[in-house]
Amino acid sequence: MIRSGNSFAMNHPLSIALIGNPNCGKTALFNRLTGSHQKVANYAGVTVERKEGSLTTEAGRQFHIIDLPGIYSLTPLSQDEEITRSALIDKTKDIPIDLVVFVADATNLKRSLKLIIDVIQLGYPTVLALNMTDLARKSGQVVDLDILQKELGIPVVETTAIQSDGIKSLLDILDKPEDLINRPSVRNPDESADIKKILGAAIRKNADTYSLNQRIDAFVLHPLLGFPILLAILFFMFQAVFSWAEFPKEWIEAGVESVGSLFTVMLPDGILRSLVVDGVIAGMGSIVVFLPQILILFFFILVLEESGYLPRAAFMLDKLMSSIGLSGHAFIPLLSSFACAVPGIMATRTIRNKKDRIITILIAPLMTCSARLPVYSLIIGAFIPNRTLGLFNLQGLVLFCLYICGIVAAIFVAWIMKQLVGKNEYQPLLMELPSYHLPQIRNVAIGLWIRARIFLIRVSTIIFATSVLLWALSTFPSPPEGAVGPAIQYSFAGQLGHLLEYIVKPIGFNWQIAVALIPAMAAREIAVSALGTVYALSASGDDLSVVLSSLLSSSWSLPTALSLLAWFVFAPQCFATLGVIKRETNSWWVMIFAAVYLFCLAYLASFATYHIAGFFLGS
Ligand SMILES: Nc1nc2c(ncn2[C@@H]2O[C@H](COP(=O)(O)OP(=O)(O)OP(=O)(O)O)[C@@H](O)[C@H]2O)c(=O)[nH]1
Ligand SMILES: [Mg+2]
């Protein structure tokens, strides 16, 4: 639906849709135009929903910009492609498109040309943005823009979306949208046979981007070396999470401790001091110390995403994944779930087969999300000695094993589900291998800043609120007169914990853990702050000054600690994940099934871990 001529009067912002193949830089361009920070990464299928923003040009013109998932053709094969098709073609859409900026990867123009012609034929006023011109130039490609404009009958500009001055030519055109809208079509290319001719005429020298890529791929995709390289990268990442974070973690810990002591001195002994020191500082402080580890993890994830390595890893794992009945397409959604299952589950929209998609959604929560990191890190820090074994840091090794546990469990569950629903025939993974890019320092820095902000906002809102709530539940009602033992024993939380103790005793948990697990349903890392609050209040006198990890190592047995780790590998301790499962599958049943099977697995795994560890170590 194109607006009628008179609606182009400039009294409302024109809507511009960014259309193009996956991974050609639409979102990078969107971010540049609108000043947003939407996710950009070097693989196909990053954007899976419509994103909108606004642009005011230097001349004061306003535009509404729409970023859409990449498409290969106007016939969608997956749910994300359907979103774009429907935005372009359906008459019922809520936001009419006035202009199309077709974004094409200049280093691979051939791939886009058929789609450009199809989109032009839809009748929208269209501009072609040849993006990634920096790479095209470096590789020696020369395109004759005049010929291309003439052949296609639309304006063509060159852009480099990752450079601050890289989209000037596009902005110049957008400043005169009337020219675009009223432009007579010079010619309407309609035959696919034209493509060769157009390219032959317009490209004077072809890009030579393949040599470096091929040289790197010779190692990375090597039949024998490829897999060890992937494992080594992941292994190094988890080692770094522990060893690099050591100093910054100590500084934050020292900071939190001095703030705690400051308030202990400043405030008179009583309810207010308890709220501030035991509730707020113990709760929030116990989580803030994990910021460096989270940032190190995300640093690696961002660099991997930007480099172009991920689709290669998907290819290597395709055979393995198909042997459990999943397609290689599931790899990137599952890998995204290492950050958080919510975007991971949304990324399954790129999976074409419906059964595969549901199974991938069901196993995504088994990937170790970053919210588990504080929990793992706290327990590992308290129970696993910080020793090096040759090259390896023992704590990093245990963390690596926990990640592997999640992956193995996911493989196992997927395999069982596939047996139940029936296998599809093996369809080899068809996915593009993008060119390797050197990660942009600015992009990585922005990515880390966004992550740090998300984390600190979580700490200061949901974690702050639950810390205060838990403090209240653990403080009131006050103990009866003459009571012995810490006051928390008599509080609401204490009573609830003792009730739940019956359920969690067989898996080795005490009542403090039971109390901590409830608010952790809101977000996993709250388990740490909740333990901080509960133990701060259960501790008597001197113990208060001891950091949480030493307090835990003296109060829990090793089997209990291992059992709690096992619980967190499986338990769906997060409402947001369950919510997104419901939304993406549009089914309460799938969500309930996910919650039930994950809780059952968690209970079984913890039970087995506790008893097996108890048998070997003595509980
Ligand atoms: N060198 C260079 N890299 C670019 C340019 N534009 C985008 N990139 C990089 O190309 C990759 C893909 O960019 P995105 O903006 O995520 O691509 P997209 O078209 O939105 O991809 P989908 O959402 O998957 O359809 C990222 O690694 C970007 O940093 C450019 O002009 N030059
Ligand atoms: Mg995108």
Side-chain angles (χ1 to χ4, degrees):
M1 180 173 56
I2 303 172
R3 284 189 192 150
S4 60
N6 58 7
S7 69
F8 290 121
M10 294 297 126
N11 50 9
H12 73 273
L14 294 176
S15 299
I16 301 180
L18 302 178
I19 304 291
N21 285 153
N23 209 40
C24 59
K26 295 177 297 300
T27 305
L29 198 67
F30 174 83
N31 287 345
R32 182 70 58 204
L33 288 168
T34 61
S36 330
H37 295 299
Q38 292 302 336
K39 188 177 162 91
V40 162
N42 192 8
Y43 56 83
V46 179
T47 308
V48 291
E49 58 185 342
R50 188 174 77 192
K51 295 280 175 179
E52 291 166 40
S54 57
L55 158 74
T56 308
T57 63
E58 267 182 11
R61 290 206 186 268
Q62 293 199 331
F63 293 96
H64 183 79
I65 315 278
I66 308 167
D67 183 24
L68 289 159
I71 49 173
Y72 291 103
S73 74
L74 291 176
T75 320
L77 292 170
S78 57
Q79 215 184 327
D80 57 326
E81 290 177 314
E82 169 56 30
I83 293 170
T84 307
R85 189 206 64 88
S86 123
L88 277 173
I89 294 172
D90 282 356
K91 306 277 181 240
T92 51
K93 60 188 185 253
D94 38 15
I95 297 190
I97 294 171
D98 297 314
L99 299 170
V100 166
V101 170
F102 192 100
V103 187
D105 176 351
T107 63
N108 196 353
L109 197 52
K110 193 165 129 202
R111 188 186 57 164
S112 308
L113 222 51
K114 168 85 174 71
L115 184 62
I116 298 175
I117 292 170
D118 289 348
V119 170
I120 293 174
Q121 283 175 341
L122 292 177
Y124 293 102
T126 304
V127 184
L128 170 60
L130 286 183
N131 193 37
M132 309 224 188
T133 30
D134 54 331
L135 298 179
R137 286 211 187 101
K138 237 188 251 165
S139 64
Q141 176 174 286
V142 183
V143 181
D144 190 323
L145 295 188
D146 287 338
I147 295 185
L148 201 58
Q149 306 203 93
K150 219 167 97 216
E151 292 288 337
L152 292 172
I154 57 168
V156 180
V157 291
E158 292 189 310
T159 58
T160 302
I162 55 165
Q163 287 170 5
S164 51
D165 57 351
I167 59 163
K168 207 178 155 304
S169 48
L170 178 62
L171 289 174
D172 286 346
I173 291 220
L174 295 183
D175 253 339
K176 295 189 209 86
E178 302 87 346
D179 291 357
L180 258 181
I181 291 155
N182 303 324
R183 190 187 167 90
S185 182
V186 179
R187 124 177 236 276
N188 196 6
D190 53 2
E191 286 173 15
S192 49
D194 275 349
I195 292 177
K196 251 194 183 155
K197 209 186 107 217
I198 296 175
L199 282 174
I203 297 187
R204 280 203 244 117
K205 189 169 176 308
N206 267 313
D208 174 26
T209 48
Y210 299 107
S211 58
L212 178 66
N213 285 329
Q214 277 172 342
R215 259 178 277 153
I216 301 178
D217 280 344
F219 280 102
V220 164
L221 295 177
H222 189 275
L224 291 179
L225 291 179
F227 207 63
I229 290 176
L230 173 63
L231 271 184
I233 291 174
L234 293 179
F235 193 78
F236 180 72
M237 173 164 134
F238 297 119
Q239 292 284 311
V241 164
F242 267 95
S243 34
W244 297 1
E246 212 168 304
F247 287 115
K249 197 170 167 209
E250 278 170 16
W251 300 330
I252 301 180
E253 248 161 19
V256 170
E257 227 181 277
S258 33
V259 174
S261 343
L262 189 74
F263 277 97
T264 313
V265 177
M266 264 170 44
L267 297 171
D269 195 8
I271 271 294
L272 184 64
R273 190 212 273 182
S274 171
L275 169 65
V276 174
V277 178
D278 305 329
V280 177
I281 297 175
M284 288 167 69
S286 59
I287 293 198
V288 160
V289 299
F290 295 103
L291 179 63
Q293 286 182 326
I294 301 230
L295 291 186
I296 292 171
L297 180 75
F298 275 102
F299 170 77
F300 279 95
I301 293 183
L302 288 168
V303 168
L304 282 179
E305 283 182 343
E306 273 286 86
S307 66
Y309 177 67
L310 293 187
R312 269 108 182 154
F315 263 100
M316 264 186 304
L317 294 176
D318 182 42
K319 267 274 153 60
L320 187 79
M321 297 186 62
S322 71
S323 65
I324 55 163
L326 281 180
S327 92
H329 279 293
F331 176 77
I332 286 181
L334 290 177
L335 199 110
S336 309
S337 306
F338 279 125
C340 172
V342 172
I345 288 170
M346 289 180 60
T348 62
R349 291 182 184 182
T350 56
I351 300 176
R352 291 166 191 174
N353 182 294
K354 201 164 169 225
K355 279 186 203 160
D356 275 6
R357 179 163 180 242
I358 301 242
I359 293 181
T360 311
I361 288 176
L362 287 172
I363 61 174
L366 289 169
M367 299 293 123
T368 305
C369 64
S370 61
R372 284 175 175 99
L373 196 60
V375 183
Y376 285 173
S377 189
L378 173 74
I379 301 174
I380 291 175
F383 288 89
I384 308 294
N386 189 6
R387 248 192 270 137
T388 37
L389 297 175
L391 276 179
F392 309 129
N393 168 291
L394 189 59
Q395 295 184 331
L397 194 67
V398 173
L399 185 67
F400 180 67
C401 292
L402 284 168
Y403 274 75
I404 295 290
C405 258
I407 296 171
V408 172
I411 292 176
F412 183 66
V413 171
W415 183 78
I416 297 206
M417 288 181 184
K418 270 287 169 174
Q419 303 305 311
L420 297 178
V421 296
K423 271 196 177 185
N424 319 322
E425 261 186 33
Y426 172 61
Q427 290 174 330
L429 177 66
L430 289 176
M431 198 183 192
E432 286 172 272
L433 293 186
S435 307
Y436 287 105
H437 291 180
L438 216 57
Q440 295 258 307
I441 297 175
R442 187 168 172 273
N443 275 358
V444 174
I446 291 177
L448 287 180
W449 163 240
I450 290 174
R451 278 294 146 188
R453 235 185 46 184
I454 292 177
F455 180 75
L456 293 175
I457 288 175
R458 264 167 95 103
V459 170
S460 56
T461 53
I462 185 165
I463 290 168
F464 169 78
T466 44
S467 298
V468 171
L469 185 71
L470 201 67
W471 170 86
L473 289 175
S474 313
T475 307
F476 304 108
S478 320
E481 245 174 68
V484 282
I488 190 172
Q489 299 257 18
Y490 307 93
S491 67
F492 292 122
Q495 290 170 27
L496 180 68
H498 285 297
L499 264 180
L500 289 175
E501 207 176 3
Y502 293 106
I503 305 175
V504 297
K505 211 169 180 165
I507 57 175
F509 295 176
N510 56 22
W511 67 266
Q512 286 99 332
I513 300 178
V515 168
L517 288 182
I518 298 173
M521 280 302 294
R524 286 179 172 89
E525 59 276 58
I526 291 176
V528 171
S529 64
L531 284 170
T533 309
V534 172
Y535 272 96
L537 290 166
S538 329
S540 49
D542 300 342
D543 280 0
L544 261 177
S545 59
V546 186
V547 227
L548 183 59
S549 67
S550 3
L551 211 59
L552 296 187
S553 62
S554 59
S555 357
W556 296 354
S557 68
L558 183 54
T560 293
L562 295 177
S563 166
L564 187 56
L565 285 178
W567 176 268
F568 271 92
V569 170
F570 297 98
Q573 282 273 345
C574 168
F575 287 130
T577 304
L578 296 177
V580 80
I581 292 181
K582 155 78 183 63
R583 202 182 70 197
E584 290 294 307
T585 59
N586 207 4
S587 151
W588 285 105
W589 286 114
V590 177
M591 187 201 87
I592 292 170
F593 176 76
V596 170
Y597 107 82
L598 287 167
F599 271 126
C600 291
L601 261 187
Y603 199 88
L604 283 176
S606 290
F607 185 83
T609 307
Y610 181 64
H611 289 280
I612 294 171
F615 179 77
F616 285 106
L617 304 166
S619 46

